[in-house]
Amino acid sequence: MTNRTNNHDTESDQRIGQDTGLLSNGDFALLGIHDFAYVRPVPNTENDSYELVYGVFTADGTHIASFENHAVADAAIRQHDMEPRAVH
């Protein structure tokens, strides 16, 4: 009788070792870019008052929209099949 558990563990360890480094730094940075977004206050540059609005940003920091309040910004993220994330 062979010990399949040990053989399987060894094969898994070898595969993990082989997978390391397959993603470039740029590819790694793009992970989640279409799945997650965050909200933060930003100045409204569309008028001269520069009052704060809530900007929606993709995982890589690209500003994609602005809203008058945080709740609406979160709802817009969810409506576009993305998950809002807290960024501190």
Side-chain angles (χ1 to χ4, degrees):
M1 180 160 144
T2 62
N3 187 347
R4 290 186 171 188
T5 305
N6 286 341
N7 290 341
H8 178 68
D9 290 344
T10 303
E11 290 171 8
S12 294
D13 291 343
Q14 289 172 351
R15 260 186 279 138
I16 291 170
Q18 292 172 352
D19 289 344
T20 303
L22 290 180
L23 288 176
S24 70
N25 289 342
D27 290 340
F28 184 74
L30 293 175
L31 287 176
I33 195 169
H34 300 291
D35 300 323
F36 305 107
Y38 64 93
V39 177
R40 68 178 173 95
V42 294
N44 184 358
T45 58
E46 292 184 13
N47 60 34
D48 294 334
S49 70
Y50 287 94
E51 65 187 49
L52 288 181
V53 293
Y54 293 90
V56 176
F57 297 83
T58 60
D60 72 345
T62 302
H63 184 208
I64 57 175
S66 294
F67 298 93
E68 291 183 10
N69 65 58
H70 198 285
V72 174
D74 274 351
I77 291 170
R78 287 188 180 95
Q79 186 176 18
H80 288 89
D81 297 324
M82 297 173 76
E83 196 63 36
R85 296 290 183 197
V87 179
H88 299 278

